[in-house]
Amino acid sequence: MYCATEGMSRIHNPVLFREVQKMDQVWVRLVVGIPVVFSWYGAYQQLFLGRPFGNNPAPDWMMLGLLLVFGVLFPLFFYSLKMITEVRKDGLYVRFFPLHFSFRFFPLVAIRSYEVMTYSPIRDYGGWGIRYGLKGTAYSAKGNRGVFFEFGEGSKVKKLMIGSQIPEKLSEAVSRAIKKQTSG
């Protein structure tokens, strides 16, 4: 159904729609921020003030490693995390950076149906991000709205939810791209 590709160049395949979403909800900031604060505080206490952190303190080299992983790399990863959705004349392109090094391509000709809908990310797909559930695959960065696609390949039907903050515009762009493809 899809292939990992950048597709044709943007000159020959212009972008009709582009949305970039970051996972910047308050709850995500808290989930990321709490380990950051503890790792920096523990490292400061143990490495700079010389006071062992906790009842069973880790060695200094491990505290430095924890600081690097949870105080630097973990927040940098979440800060750089973004979902890019594009509609071009040949298909739908989705990329969850830095997890995907290239776009995931879903050809327009394989679309059986699509509709704008409100969904429950947790109940329907198990949360946000790249999810695989009983209702299909979901790419979702935040919110609870998106466009639900059904792709057909022979007798197989694949289901895909693309989360969007502006799902009506995404749906309109897909409609325009399909019209361009059938008329040209």
Side-chain angles (χ1 to χ4, degrees):
M1 176 180 65
Y2 74 87
C3 60
T5 180
E6 288 294 334
M8 299 186 302
S9 72
R10 288 181 189 239
I11 296 168
H12 295 85
N13 196 10
V15 176
L16 305 172
F17 170 88
R18 179 179 171 90
E19 180 180 15
V20 178
Q21 299 178 73
K22 294 193 66 84
M23 295 184 80
D24 57 2
Q25 302 94 314
V26 172
W27 69 267
V28 172
R29 291 179 188 204
L30 286 173
V31 167
V32 173
I34 291 170
V36 169
V37 169
F38 274 109
S39 63
W40 277 98
Y41 178 74
Y44 176 74
Q45 288 289 313
Q46 187 163 318
L47 301 176
F48 294 102
L49 299 180
R51 295 185 214 146
F53 182 67
N55 294 333
N56 188 11
D60 288 352
W61 64 268
M62 189 179 291
M63 186 60 77
L64 190 59
L66 291 171
L67 174 64
L68 179 64
V69 170
F70 293 105
V72 178
L73 297 177
F74 186 61
L76 283 176
F77 172 77
F78 272 93
Y79 179 75
S80 69
L81 200 59
K82 62 184 172 184
M83 185 175 113
I84 304 165
T85 306
E86 292 183 353
V87 176
R88 300 182 195 172
K89 69 179 184 179
D90 64 337
L92 182 64
Y93 292 77
V94 182
R95 181 178 182 194
F96 230 112
F97 180 83
L99 302 173
H100 294 150
F101 293 113
S102 61
F103 282 93
R104 299 303 190 245
F105 170 67
F106 302 92
L108 293 177
V109 295
I111 295 175
R112 283 191 178 177
S113 66
Y114 60 99
E115 68 176 307
V116 173
M117 60 187 303
T118 300
Y119 65 103
S120 172
I122 294 173
R123 187 178 54 241
D124 296 341
Y125 298 100
W128 292 266
I130 304 168
R131 302 304 221 172
Y132 305 96
L134 296 175
K135 294 191 175 191
T137 302
Y139 291 89
S140 179
K142 62 181 173 181
N144 65 347
R145 299 198 65 225
V147 179
F148 181 76
F149 293 89
E150 286 188 346
F151 293 89
E153 290 181 347
S155 62
K156 286 185 168 183
V157 175
K158 304 271 185 174
K159 297 176 180 181
L160 175 69
M161 172 59 76
I162 302 292
S164 176
Q165 299 304 296
I166 45 176
E168 293 81 10
K169 290 187 179 188
L170 172 57
S171 178
E172 289 170 18
V174 169
S175 293
R176 284 193 322 269
I178 289 172
K179 284 179 188 169
K180 283 185 179 188
Q181 198 173 57
T182 56
S183 67

